[in-house]
Short mmCIF file of all heavy atoms in Angstrom, two decimals:
data_model
loop_
_atom_site.label_atom_id
_atom_site.label_comp_id
_atom_site.label_asym_id
_atom_site.label_seq_id
_atom_site.Cartn_x
_atom_site.Cartn_y
_atom_site.Cartn_z
N ALA D 1111 0.85 -1.21 -0.01
CA ALA D 1111 0.02 -0.01 0.01
C ALA D 1111 0.86 1.23 0.01
O ALA D 1111 0.54 2.23 -0.68
CB ALA D 1111 -0.90 0.04 1.21
N ARG D 1112 1.94 1.25 0.75
CA ARG D 1112 2.82 2.43 0.81
C ARG D 1112 3.39 2.75 -0.53
O ARG D 1112 3.38 3.89 -0.95
CB ARG D 1112 3.93 2.20 1.87
CG ARG D 1112 4.89 3.34 1.91
CD ARG D 1112 5.91 3.15 2.96
NE ARG D 1112 5.19 3.19 4.19
CZ ARG D 1112 5.74 3.32 5.35
NH1 ARG D 1112 7.04 3.33 5.49
NH2 ARG D 1112 4.99 3.32 6.47
N GLU D 1113 3.92 1.73 -1.25
CA GLU D 1113 4.48 1.99 -2.55
C GLU D 1113 3.41 2.53 -3.54
O GLU D 1113 3.72 3.40 -4.35
CB GLU D 1113 5.17 0.69 -3.09
CG GLU D 1113 6.42 0.37 -2.39
CD GLU D 1113 7.09 -0.88 -2.94
OE1 GLU D 1113 6.82 -1.21 -4.14
OE2 GLU D 1113 7.78 -1.51 -2.19
N CYS D 1114 2.28 1.98 -3.46
CA CYS D 1114 1.16 2.46 -4.34
C CYS D 1114 0.84 3.91 -4.05
O CYS D 1114 0.67 4.73 -4.94
CB CYS D 1114 -0.11 1.61 -4.16
SG CYS D 1114 0.14 -0.08 -4.80
N ALA D 1115 0.74 4.26 -2.82
CA ALA D 1115 0.47 5.61 -2.39
C ALA D 1115 1.55 6.54 -2.83
O ALA D 1115 1.34 7.65 -3.38
CB ALA D 1115 0.24 5.73 -0.94
N ASP D 1116 2.84 6.09 -2.66
CA ASP D 1116 3.94 6.97 -3.09
C ASP D 1116 3.87 7.17 -4.62
O ASP D 1116 4.11 8.26 -5.10
CB ASP D 1116 5.27 6.29 -2.71
CG ASP D 1116 5.54 6.31 -1.24
OD1 ASP D 1116 4.79 7.01 -0.52
OD2 ASP D 1116 6.50 5.61 -0.80
N ASP D 1117 3.62 6.10 -5.41
CA ASP D 1117 3.53 6.23 -6.83
C ASP D 1117 2.35 7.06 -7.24
O ASP D 1117 2.47 7.93 -8.14
CB ASP D 1117 3.37 4.84 -7.46
CG ASP D 1117 4.65 4.01 -7.39
OD1 ASP D 1117 5.70 4.58 -7.07
OD2 ASP D 1117 4.53 2.76 -7.60
N GLU D 1118 1.26 6.88 -6.65
CA GLU D 1118 0.03 7.62 -6.98
C GLU D 1118 0.09 9.10 -6.67
O GLU D 1118 -0.31 9.94 -7.47
CB GLU D 1118 -1.19 6.97 -6.33
CG GLU D 1118 -2.53 7.64 -6.64
CD GLU D 1118 -3.00 7.41 -8.04
OE1 GLU D 1118 -2.56 6.45 -8.68
OE2 GLU D 1118 -3.81 8.19 -8.52
N PHE D 1119 0.53 9.41 -5.49
CA PHE D 1119 0.46 10.77 -4.99
C PHE D 1119 1.78 11.47 -4.92
O PHE D 1119 1.83 12.67 -4.66
CB PHE D 1119 -0.23 10.84 -3.59
CG PHE D 1119 -1.58 10.26 -3.60
CD1 PHE D 1119 -1.90 9.07 -3.03
CD2 PHE D 1119 -2.63 10.97 -4.20
CE1 PHE D 1119 -3.17 8.56 -3.01
CE2 PHE D 1119 -3.94 10.49 -4.21
CZ PHE D 1119 -4.24 9.26 -3.62
N GLY D 1120 2.83 10.80 -5.27
CA GLY D 1120 4.14 11.46 -5.27
C GLY D 1120 4.68 11.85 -3.92
O GLY D 1120 5.45 12.80 -3.77
N CYS D 1121 4.20 11.24 -2.87
CA CYS D 1121 4.64 11.54 -1.51
C CYS D 1121 4.56 10.28 -0.70
O CYS D 1121 4.21 9.23 -1.17
CB CYS D 1121 3.74 12.65 -0.92
SG CYS D 1121 2.01 12.20 -0.81
N THR D 1122 4.83 10.39 0.55
CA THR D 1122 4.89 9.23 1.39
C THR D 1122 3.48 8.84 1.88
O THR D 1122 2.57 9.66 1.85
CB THR D 1122 5.73 9.45 2.66
OG1 THR D 1122 5.15 10.48 3.44
CG2 THR D 1122 7.16 9.82 2.26
N TYR D 1123 3.31 7.61 2.26
CA TYR D 1123 2.06 7.12 2.78
C TYR D 1123 1.63 7.97 3.96
O TYR D 1123 0.50 8.38 4.09
CB TYR D 1123 2.24 5.63 3.16
CG TYR D 1123 1.03 5.00 3.87
CD1 TYR D 1123 -0.08 4.67 3.14
CD2 TYR D 1123 1.03 4.89 5.24
CE1 TYR D 1123 -1.19 4.12 3.77
CE2 TYR D 1123 -0.03 4.36 5.87
CZ TYR D 1123 -1.18 3.96 5.16
OH TYR D 1123 -2.28 3.41 5.76
N GLU D 1124 2.58 8.27 4.84
CA GLU D 1124 2.27 9.04 6.04
C GLU D 1124 1.74 10.44 5.71
O GLU D 1124 0.78 10.92 6.33
CB GLU D 1124 3.52 9.15 6.96
CG GLU D 1124 3.91 7.83 7.64
CD GLU D 1124 4.80 6.97 6.79
OE1 GLU D 1124 5.17 7.37 5.60
OE2 GLU D 1124 5.11 5.90 7.24
N ALA D 1125 2.37 11.08 4.69
CA ALA D 1125 1.88 12.39 4.27
C ALA D 1125 0.48 12.34 3.67
O ALA D 1125 -0.33 13.23 3.90
CB ALA D 1125 2.85 12.96 3.26
N THR D 1126 0.18 11.24 2.95
CA THR D 1126 -1.15 11.12 2.41
C THR D 1126 -2.15 10.92 3.48
O THR D 1126 -3.23 11.57 3.45
CB THR D 1126 -1.18 9.89 1.44
OG1 THR D 1126 -0.19 10.08 0.40
CG2 THR D 1126 -2.53 9.71 0.76
N VAL D 1127 -1.86 10.06 4.45
CA VAL D 1127 -2.83 9.90 5.55
C VAL D 1127 -2.98 11.15 6.38
O VAL D 1127 -4.11 11.47 6.77
CB VAL D 1127 -2.38 8.66 6.43
CG1 VAL D 1127 -3.19 8.57 7.70
CG2 VAL D 1127 -2.41 7.37 5.67
N ALA D 1128 -1.90 11.87 6.60
CA ALA D 1128 -1.95 13.14 7.35
C ALA D 1128 -2.84 14.13 6.64
O ALA D 1128 -3.61 14.82 7.24
CB ALA D 1128 -0.54 13.67 7.54
N ALA D 1129 -2.73 14.21 5.27
CA ALA D 1129 -3.55 15.11 4.51
C ALA D 1129 -5.00 14.74 4.57
O ALA D 1129 -5.89 15.64 4.65
CB ALA D 1129 -3.11 15.16 3.04
N TRP D 1130 -5.28 13.44 4.56
CA TRP D 1130 -6.71 12.96 4.69
C TRP D 1130 -7.31 13.42 6.04
O TRP D 1130 -8.40 13.91 6.11
CB TRP D 1130 -6.77 11.47 4.54
CG TRP D 1130 -8.08 10.85 4.67
CD1 TRP D 1130 -8.63 10.15 5.71
CD2 TRP D 1130 -9.14 10.89 3.68
NE1 TRP D 1130 -9.88 9.77 5.42
CE2 TRP D 1130 -10.26 10.17 4.21
CE3 TRP D 1130 -9.23 11.42 2.38
CZ2 TRP D 1130 -11.42 10.05 3.53
CZ3 TRP D 1130 -10.44 11.24 1.71
CH2 TRP D 1130 -11.55 10.58 2.25
N HIS D 1131 -6.53 13.19 7.11
CA HIS D 1131 -6.96 13.63 8.44
C HIS D 1131 -7.10 15.13 8.48
O HIS D 1131 -8.07 15.66 9.13
CB HIS D 1131 -6.05 13.09 9.52
CG HIS D 1131 -6.24 11.62 9.77
ND1 HIS D 1131 -7.21 11.12 10.52
CD2 HIS D 1131 -5.53 10.59 9.29
CE1 HIS D 1131 -7.15 9.79 10.55
NE2 HIS D 1131 -6.12 9.46 9.78
N ARG D 1132 -6.19 15.88 7.88
CA ARG D 1132 -6.26 17.29 7.87
C ARG D 1132 -7.51 17.73 7.18
O ARG D 1132 -8.20 18.72 7.64
CB ARG D 1132 -4.99 17.91 7.22
CG ARG D 1132 -4.84 19.36 7.41
CD ARG D 1132 -3.39 19.85 7.02
NE ARG D 1132 -3.02 19.44 5.62
CZ ARG D 1132 -2.11 18.41 5.40
NH1 ARG D 1132 -1.57 17.78 6.43
NH2 ARG D 1132 -1.79 18.14 4.17
N ALA D 1133 -7.88 17.08 6.06
CA ALA D 1133 -9.13 17.46 5.35
C ALA D 1133 -10.33 17.33 6.21
O ALA D 1133 -11.21 18.21 6.19
CB ALA D 1133 -9.23 16.60 4.07
N TRP D 1134 -10.39 16.28 6.99
CA TRP D 1134 -11.55 16.05 7.87
C TRP D 1134 -11.59 16.93 9.07
O TRP D 1134 -12.61 17.10 9.72
CB TRP D 1134 -11.67 14.56 8.24
CG TRP D 1134 -12.26 13.78 7.13
CD1 TRP D 1134 -11.56 13.13 6.13
CD2 TRP D 1134 -13.60 13.52 6.90
NE1 TRP D 1134 -12.41 12.50 5.26
CE2 TRP D 1134 -13.69 12.70 5.72
CE3 TRP D 1134 -14.81 13.86 7.53
CZ2 TRP D 1134 -14.92 12.29 5.20
CZ3 TRP D 1134 -15.98 13.42 6.99
CH2 TRP D 1134 -16.03 12.65 5.85
N ASN D 1135 -10.43 17.50 9.48
CA ASN D 1135 -10.37 18.35 10.65
C ASN D 1135 -10.28 19.85 10.36
O ASN D 1135 -10.40 20.65 11.28
CB ASN D 1135 -9.15 17.98 11.49
CG ASN D 1135 -9.40 16.58 12.15
OD1 ASN D 1135 -10.32 16.45 12.95
ND2 ASN D 1135 -8.57 15.62 11.87
N THR D 1136 -10.12 20.20 9.10
CA THR D 1136 -10.04 21.63 8.72
C THR D 1136 -11.45 22.13 8.47
O THR D 1136 -12.16 21.65 7.60
CB THR D 1136 -9.18 21.77 7.46
OG1 THR D 1136 -7.88 21.32 7.70
CG2 THR D 1136 -9.08 23.25 7.02
N THR D 1137 -11.82 23.18 9.24
CA THR D 1137 -13.17 23.77 9.07
C THR D 1137 -13.23 24.80 8.07
O THR D 1137 -14.34 25.14 7.58
CB THR D 1137 -13.68 24.23 10.44
OG1 THR D 1137 -12.73 25.28 10.95
CG2 THR D 1137 -13.81 23.18 11.46
N GLU D 1138 -12.12 25.37 7.64
CA GLU D 1138 -12.13 26.41 6.61
C GLU D 1138 -12.12 25.76 5.26
O GLU D 1138 -11.29 24.91 5.02
CB GLU D 1138 -10.85 27.30 6.86
CG GLU D 1138 -10.82 28.54 6.09
CD GLU D 1138 -10.14 28.33 4.77
OE1 GLU D 1138 -9.13 27.63 4.69
OE2 GLU D 1138 -10.64 28.84 3.77
N ALA D 1139 -13.03 26.18 4.34
CA ALA D 1139 -13.19 25.50 3.09
C ALA D 1139 -12.01 25.49 2.17
O ALA D 1139 -11.64 24.44 1.55
CB ALA D 1139 -14.39 26.17 2.36
N THR D 1140 -11.22 26.58 2.09
CA THR D 1140 -10.12 26.63 1.22
C THR D 1140 -9.01 25.66 1.70
O THR D 1140 -8.38 24.97 0.92
CB THR D 1140 -9.50 28.01 1.12
OG1 THR D 1140 -10.58 28.91 0.65
CG2 THR D 1140 -8.36 28.09 0.18
N GLY D 1141 -8.74 25.62 3.05
CA GLY D 1141 -7.76 24.73 3.63
C GLY D 1141 -8.15 23.28 3.43
O GLY D 1141 -7.33 22.38 3.17
N ARG D 1142 -9.44 23.06 3.60
CA ARG D 1142 -9.98 21.66 3.45
C ARG D 1142 -9.80 21.19 2.03
O ARG D 1142 -9.31 20.11 1.73
CB ARG D 1142 -11.46 21.61 3.82
CG ARG D 1142 -12.04 20.24 3.77
CD ARG D 1142 -13.44 20.16 4.40
NE ARG D 1142 -14.37 21.17 3.88
CZ ARG D 1142 -14.83 22.20 4.59
NH1 ARG D 1142 -14.43 22.33 5.86
NH2 ARG D 1142 -15.63 23.06 4.07
N LYS D 1143 -10.09 22.07 1.01
CA LYS D 1143 -9.94 21.73 -0.38
C LYS D 1143 -8.48 21.44 -0.72
O LYS D 1143 -8.14 20.52 -1.43
CB LYS D 1143 -10.48 22.86 -1.27
CG LYS D 1143 -10.30 22.63 -2.72
CD LYS D 1143 -11.17 21.50 -3.22
CE LYS D 1143 -11.05 21.42 -4.73
NZ LYS D 1143 -11.29 20.08 -5.26
N ALA D 1144 -7.57 22.24 -0.16
CA ALA D 1144 -6.14 22.06 -0.45
C ALA D 1144 -5.64 20.69 0.14
O ALA D 1144 -4.90 19.99 -0.52
CB ALA D 1144 -5.35 23.18 0.20
N ALA D 1145 -6.19 20.32 1.28
CA ALA D 1145 -5.79 19.04 1.89
C ALA D 1145 -6.32 17.90 1.09
O ALA D 1145 -5.59 16.89 0.79
CB ALA D 1145 -6.30 18.96 3.34
N ILE D 1146 -7.57 18.02 0.60
CA ILE D 1146 -8.15 16.96 -0.26
C ILE D 1146 -7.39 16.80 -1.56
O ILE D 1146 -7.12 15.70 -2.03
CB ILE D 1146 -9.61 17.23 -0.50
CG1 ILE D 1146 -10.44 17.00 0.74
CG2 ILE D 1146 -10.19 16.35 -1.62
CD1 ILE D 1146 -11.85 17.56 0.68
N GLU D 1147 -7.01 17.94 -2.19
CA GLU D 1147 -6.26 17.88 -3.44
C GLU D 1147 -4.94 17.14 -3.31
O GLU D 1147 -4.42 16.65 -4.26
CB GLU D 1147 -6.04 19.31 -4.00
CG GLU D 1147 -7.31 19.90 -4.50
CD GLU D 1147 -7.19 21.33 -4.92
OE1 GLU D 1147 -6.12 21.97 -4.67
OE2 GLU D 1147 -8.12 21.91 -5.53
N SER D 1148 -4.34 17.16 -2.10
CA SER D 1148 -3.06 16.51 -1.88
C SER D 1148 -3.18 15.02 -1.57
O SER D 1148 -2.14 14.32 -1.54
CB SER D 1148 -2.29 17.23 -0.82
OG SER D 1148 -2.85 16.98 0.47
N CYS D 1149 -4.41 14.51 -1.42
CA CYS D 1149 -4.54 13.08 -1.09
C CYS D 1149 -5.65 12.37 -1.75
O CYS D 1149 -5.84 11.17 -1.48
CB CYS D 1149 -4.67 12.95 0.50
SG CYS D 1149 -6.24 13.57 1.10
N PHE D 1150 -6.43 13.02 -2.63
CA PHE D 1150 -7.59 12.40 -3.22
C PHE D 1150 -7.63 12.73 -4.67
O PHE D 1150 -7.49 13.91 -5.07
CB PHE D 1150 -8.86 12.95 -2.50
CG PHE D 1150 -10.10 12.22 -2.81
CD1 PHE D 1150 -10.43 10.99 -2.20
CD2 PHE D 1150 -10.98 12.76 -3.73
CE1 PHE D 1150 -11.60 10.35 -2.50
CE2 PHE D 1150 -12.21 12.13 -3.99
CZ PHE D 1150 -12.51 10.88 -3.39
N ASP D 1151 -7.88 11.78 -5.49
CA ASP D 1151 -7.99 11.99 -6.97
C ASP D 1151 -9.21 12.93 -7.24
O ASP D 1151 -10.31 12.72 -6.68
CB ASP D 1151 -8.20 10.63 -7.67
CG ASP D 1151 -8.17 10.75 -9.15
OD1 ASP D 1151 -9.26 11.10 -9.74
OD2 ASP D 1151 -7.08 10.56 -9.77
N PRO D 1152 -9.02 13.86 -8.16
CA PRO D 1152 -10.14 14.78 -8.47
C PRO D 1152 -11.43 14.02 -8.95
O PRO D 1152 -12.53 14.56 -8.79
CB PRO D 1152 -9.59 15.62 -9.65
CG PRO D 1152 -8.13 15.53 -9.49
CD PRO D 1152 -7.84 14.16 -8.92
N ASN D 1153 -11.27 12.84 -9.52
CA ASN D 1153 -12.40 12.09 -9.99
C ASN D 1153 -12.69 10.88 -9.06
O ASN D 1153 -13.47 9.98 -9.46
CB ASN D 1153 -12.17 11.60 -11.39
CG ASN D 1153 -11.98 12.77 -12.33
OD1 ASN D 1153 -12.79 13.67 -12.35
ND2 ASN D 1153 -10.94 12.75 -13.12
N GLY D 1154 -12.10 10.85 -7.93
CA GLY D 1154 -12.24 9.74 -6.99
C GLY D 1154 -13.65 9.65 -6.42
O GLY D 1154 -14.44 10.54 -6.50
N GLU D 1155 -13.93 8.46 -5.81
CA GLU D 1155 -15.22 8.24 -5.14
C GLU D 1155 -15.00 7.91 -3.73
O GLU D 1155 -14.03 7.24 -3.36
CB GLU D 1155 -15.94 7.10 -5.89
CG GLU D 1155 -16.28 7.43 -7.30
CD GLU D 1155 -17.04 6.33 -8.01
OE1 GLU D 1155 -17.21 5.24 -7.41
OE2 GLU D 1155 -17.39 6.54 -9.14
N PHE D 1156 -15.90 8.41 -2.89
CA PHE D 1156 -15.82 8.13 -1.43
C PHE D 1156 -17.22 7.64 -1.00
O PHE D 1156 -18.19 8.21 -1.28
CB PHE D 1156 -15.52 9.43 -0.71
CG PHE D 1156 -15.64 9.28 0.82
CD1 PHE D 1156 -14.62 8.74 1.54
CD2 PHE D 1156 -16.75 9.74 1.41
CE1 PHE D 1156 -14.76 8.58 2.92
CE2 PHE D 1156 -16.90 9.63 2.83
CZ PHE D 1156 -15.86 9.06 3.58
N CYS D 1157 -17.16 6.52 -0.28
CA CYS D 1157 -18.43 5.99 0.28
C CYS D 1157 -18.26 5.68 1.73
O CYS D 1157 -17.19 5.18 2.17
CB CYS D 1157 -18.79 4.65 -0.43
SG CYS D 1157 -19.09 4.89 -2.17
N ASP D 1158 -19.26 6.00 2.54
CA ASP D 1158 -19.30 5.57 3.92
C ASP D 1158 -20.68 5.16 4.24
O ASP D 1158 -21.56 5.10 3.30
CB ASP D 1158 -18.72 6.64 4.87
CG ASP D 1158 -19.55 7.94 4.91
OD1 ASP D 1158 -20.67 7.97 4.35
OD2 ASP D 1158 -19.07 8.91 5.47
N ALA D 1159 -21.00 4.95 5.46
CA ALA D 1159 -22.38 4.48 5.85
C ALA D 1159 -23.41 5.53 5.60
O ALA D 1159 -24.63 5.16 5.53
CB ALA D 1159 -22.34 4.13 7.34
N TYR D 1160 -23.06 6.79 5.35
CA TYR D 1160 -24.08 7.87 5.24
C TYR D 1160 -24.08 8.48 3.89
O TYR D 1160 -25.00 9.29 3.59
CB TYR D 1160 -23.77 8.98 6.30
CG TYR D 1160 -23.69 8.38 7.67
CD1 TYR D 1160 -22.48 8.20 8.31
CD2 TYR D 1160 -24.87 7.94 8.38
CE1 TYR D 1160 -22.38 7.63 9.58
CE2 TYR D 1160 -24.78 7.42 9.60
CZ TYR D 1160 -23.53 7.23 10.19
OH TYR D 1160 -23.50 6.73 11.46
N SER D 1161 -23.11 8.22 3.02
CA SER D 1161 -23.08 8.91 1.76
C SER D 1161 -22.23 8.19 0.71
O SER D 1161 -21.45 7.31 1.07
CB SER D 1161 -22.50 10.34 1.95
OG SER D 1161 -21.17 10.19 2.39
N ALA D 1162 -22.38 8.67 -0.57
CA ALA D 1162 -21.51 8.24 -1.61
C ALA D 1162 -21.28 9.44 -2.54
O ALA D 1162 -22.28 10.01 -3.04
CB ALA D 1162 -22.11 7.09 -2.41
N VAL D 1163 -20.07 9.95 -2.64
CA VAL D 1163 -19.82 11.13 -3.42
C VAL D 1163 -18.77 10.84 -4.45
O VAL D 1163 -17.90 9.96 -4.28
CB VAL D 1163 -19.39 12.32 -2.52
CG1 VAL D 1163 -20.47 12.66 -1.55
CG2 VAL D 1163 -18.05 12.07 -1.79
N SER D 1164 -18.82 11.63 -5.54
CA SER D 1164 -17.82 11.51 -6.58
C SER D 1164 -17.15 12.89 -6.77
O SER D 1164 -17.85 13.91 -6.88
CB SER D 1164 -18.51 11.09 -7.88
OG SER D 1164 -19.03 9.81 -7.79
N GLY D 1165 -15.85 12.85 -6.82
CA GLY D 1165 -15.06 14.12 -7.12
C GLY D 1165 -14.61 14.80 -5.84
O GLY D 1165 -15.24 14.71 -4.82
N SER D 1166 -13.48 15.46 -5.96
CA SER D 1166 -12.89 16.07 -4.82
C SER D 1166 -13.67 17.31 -4.31
O SER D 1166 -13.79 17.57 -3.10
CB SER D 1166 -11.43 16.49 -5.12
OG SER D 1166 -11.37 17.31 -6.23
N ASP D 1167 -14.31 18.06 -5.26
CA ASP D 1167 -15.12 19.16 -4.83
C ASP D 1167 -16.36 18.68 -4.04
O ASP D 1167 -16.70 19.33 -3.00
CB ASP D 1167 -15.59 19.94 -6.06
CG ASP D 1167 -14.49 20.70 -6.75
OD1 ASP D 1167 -13.47 20.98 -6.10
OD2 ASP D 1167 -14.56 21.01 -7.95
N THR D 1168 -16.95 17.66 -4.49
CA THR D 1168 -18.16 17.13 -3.79
C THR D 1168 -17.72 16.54 -2.38
O THR D 1168 -18.44 16.73 -1.44
CB THR D 1168 -18.84 16.01 -4.61
OG1 THR D 1168 -19.09 16.56 -5.94
CG2 THR D 1168 -20.11 15.55 -4.02
N LEU D 1169 -16.54 15.93 -2.39
CA LEU D 1169 -16.05 15.42 -1.08
C LEU D 1169 -15.81 16.59 -0.13
O LEU D 1169 -16.17 16.48 1.07
CB LEU D 1169 -14.80 14.59 -1.27
CG LEU D 1169 -14.13 14.10 0.05
CD1 LEU D 1169 -15.11 13.18 0.80
CD2 LEU D 1169 -12.83 13.31 -0.29
N ALA D 1170 -15.19 17.68 -0.64
CA ALA D 1170 -14.98 18.84 0.25
C ALA D 1170 -16.29 19.39 0.81
O ALA D 1170 -16.36 19.68 1.99
CB ALA D 1170 -14.24 19.91 -0.54
N ASP D 1171 -17.29 19.44 -0.06
CA ASP D 1171 -18.62 19.93 0.46
C ASP D 1171 -19.23 18.90 1.43
O ASP D 1171 -19.78 19.35 2.46
CB ASP D 1171 -19.60 20.06 -0.71
CG ASP D 1171 -19.23 21.13 -1.66
OD1 ASP D 1171 -18.43 22.06 -1.26
OD2 ASP D 1171 -19.70 21.15 -2.82
N HIS D 1172 -19.07 17.63 1.19
CA HIS D 1172 -19.58 16.62 2.12
C HIS D 1172 -18.91 16.75 3.48
O HIS D 1172 -19.60 16.70 4.50
CB HIS D 1172 -19.35 15.21 1.50
CG HIS D 1172 -19.56 14.12 2.46
ND1 HIS D 1172 -20.90 13.77 2.90
CD2 HIS D 1172 -18.73 13.24 3.07
CE1 HIS D 1172 -20.72 12.75 3.73
NE2 HIS D 1172 -19.49 12.39 3.86
N ILE D 1173 -17.65 16.89 3.50
CA ILE D 1173 -16.89 17.03 4.79
C ILE D 1173 -17.38 18.26 5.51
O ILE D 1173 -17.61 18.22 6.71
CB ILE D 1173 -15.37 17.08 4.55
CG1 ILE D 1173 -14.90 15.69 4.07
CG2 ILE D 1173 -14.61 17.41 5.86
CD1 ILE D 1173 -13.42 15.64 3.58
N GLY D 1174 -17.48 19.38 4.83
CA GLY D 1174 -18.00 20.59 5.40
C GLY D 1174 -19.40 20.41 6.04
O GLY D 1174 -19.65 20.92 7.14
N ASN D 1175 -20.25 19.75 5.29
CA ASN D 1175 -21.60 19.46 5.82
C ASN D 1175 -21.55 18.54 7.05
O ASN D 1175 -22.28 18.74 8.02
CB ASN D 1175 -22.48 18.81 4.75
CG ASN D 1175 -22.84 19.82 3.70
OD1 ASN D 1175 -22.95 21.03 3.92
ND2 ASN D 1175 -23.06 19.33 2.43
N ALA D 1176 -20.69 17.54 6.98
CA ALA D 1176 -20.59 16.65 8.13
C ALA D 1176 -20.06 17.35 9.39
O ALA D 1176 -20.49 17.09 10.50
CB ALA D 1176 -19.59 15.50 7.77
N GLN D 1177 -19.21 18.35 9.18
CA GLN D 1177 -18.69 19.10 10.31
C GLN D 1177 -19.73 19.97 10.97
O GLN D 1177 -19.67 20.27 12.19
CB GLN D 1177 -17.52 20.02 9.88
CG GLN D 1177 -16.27 19.21 9.50
CD GLN D 1177 -15.21 20.09 8.85
OE1 GLN D 1177 -15.48 21.13 8.30
NE2 GLN D 1177 -13.96 19.55 8.92
N ARG D 1178 -20.71 20.39 10.17
CA ARG D 1178 -21.84 21.23 10.75
C ARG D 1178 -22.80 20.44 11.54
O ARG D 1178 -23.63 21.01 12.23
CB ARG D 1178 -22.54 21.96 9.59
CG ARG D 1178 -21.71 23.16 9.04
CD ARG D 1178 -22.49 24.00 8.08
NE ARG D 1178 -22.60 23.45 6.75
CZ ARG D 1178 -21.63 23.48 5.82
NH1 ARG D 1178 -20.46 24.02 6.21
NH2 ARG D 1178 -21.80 23.08 4.61
N HIS D 1179 -22.81 19.14 11.40
CA HIS D 1179 -23.84 18.33 12.12
C HIS D 1179 -23.33 17.54 13.26
O HIS D 1179 -22.39 17.19 13.53
CB HIS D 1179 -24.51 17.35 11.08
CG HIS D 1179 -25.28 18.08 10.05
ND1 HIS D 1179 -26.50 18.67 10.31
CD2 HIS D 1179 -24.99 18.35 8.75
CE1 HIS D 1179 -26.92 19.25 9.24
NE2 HIS D 1179 -26.04 19.08 8.24
#
């Protein structure tokens, strides 16, 4: 998994995971979007028990909405 993440994102696995956590913890929209862009494919898909979203912009909006609730 680490080698795949390094190849895919051009950084270390740890940096990718840190960016993912930063995206979910950043309440400011611009900072959240920057974090997502560093760890999530612009056309990627995210699914959890409550949603299914496509694209990094939609994920950024989803995270922002989740933070409000």
Side-chain angles (χ1 to χ4, degrees):
R1112 177 176 295 193
E1113 288 180 25
C1114 292
D1116 290 350
D1117 290 344
E1118 179 72 21
F1119 300 109
C1121 60
T1122 66
Y1123 174 79
E1124 289 85 1
T1126 302
V1127 172
W1130 179 256
H1131 285 279
R1132 193 168 50 256
W1134 281 90
N1135 288 301
T1136 300
T1137 57
E1138 190 270 319
T1140 303
R1142 183 171 51 250
K1143 177 69 176 155
I1146 290 169
E1147 288 175 351
S1148 70
C1149 68
F1150 190 79
D1151 186 276
N1153 299 310
E1155 296 181 356
F1156 171 81
C1157 298
D1158 65 10
Y1160 306 103
S1161 64
V1163 299
S1164 295
S1166 57
D1167 291 336
T1168 307
L1169 177 59
D1171 292 341
H1172 169 69
I1173 292 171
N1175 290 330
Q1177 291 171 337
R1178 285 191 278 286
H1179 295 285

